[in-house]
Amino acid sequence: MEQFGEWLRDNTWSAWFSLAVILGVAEMASLDLVLAMLAVGALGGAASSLVTDLVLVQALVAIATAVGMLALVRPNLVRRLHTGPELRLGHTRLIGAQGSVTREITALAPGEVKVSGETWTAQPYDETLTIAPGETIEVLDIRGATAYVHPIPRLEP
């Protein structure tokens, strides 16, 4: 047992590294990023063991590193993991899409547009507009099976 104590005093970095590995493996089961931050703290302890033999200093470095990771890094990582691209399903995916008019659109007589390869009944979003066939439009809203569209202005050469 005395040989193990002597070996451990000479190789404290390996104890810190082993603790980091154990915490890292445990993190895979918990997936809450707390144990991963503690594992980074243990790596800080391992790094400090290469500089000093004082276990108290190593433990303080490990604690400071872990607390810093928990306070500064973890909140940003959690926020990033819980926010992702907006998933739009159904007809809402067409809002903001561009298409072309296939049949004249007026407020009194709905027309047709082709958007994302689909043909939709369309009305102008601004009821005072008439949109001619061939014009490029943007879908601003969908109500029922009708797309409410607005023409995209063209730059004249």
Side-chain angles (χ1 to χ4, degrees):
M1 189 68 169
E2 187 175 317
Q3 283 181 330
F4 178 72
E6 186 177 317
W7 179 86
L8 191 57
R9 270 191 303 278
D10 294 338
N11 298 294
T12 53
W13 66 269
S14 62
W16 285 110
F17 186 75
S18 298
L19 179 61
V21 169
I22 290 168
L23 289 169
V25 169
E27 174 62 39
M28 290 183 200
S30 70
L31 297 177
D32 62 358
L33 297 178
V34 171
L35 297 176
M37 302 300 120
L38 296 178
V40 173
L43 290 176
S48 66
S49 73
L50 299 174
V51 177
T52 181
D53 290 336
L54 297 174
V55 177
L56 180 62
V57 172
Q58 296 170 17
L60 290 175
V61 169
I63 290 169
T65 304
V67 168
M69 293 293 290
L70 286 169
L72 302 174
V73 176
R74 184 179 179 273
N76 292 330
L77 287 176
V78 169
R79 190 176 322 111
R80 277 195 146 173
L81 289 173
H82 289 292
T83 58
E86 182 182 340
L87 181 62
R88 298 190 316 176
L89 299 173
H91 66 272
T92 59
R93 72 183 175 1
L94 294 176
I95 294 175
Q98 294 183 2
S100 61
V101 177
T102 56
R103 194 173 73 205
E104 185 178 67
I105 304 169
T106 66
L108 300 174
E112 285 184 351
V113 293
K114 190 161 195 155
V115 180
S116 298
E118 299 176 354
T119 301
W120 282 79
T121 302
Q123 286 192 312
Y125 194 77
D126 179 356
E127 295 176 356
T128 61
L129 292 177
T130 298
I131 307 171
E135 286 200 51
T136 303
I137 53 87
E138 179 180 0
V139 178
L140 298 179
D141 193 14
I142 302 234
R143 297 180 206 146
T146 303
Y148 287 81
V149 299
H150 192 75
I152 295 177
R154 289 189 227 190
L155 297 174
E156 299 296 326

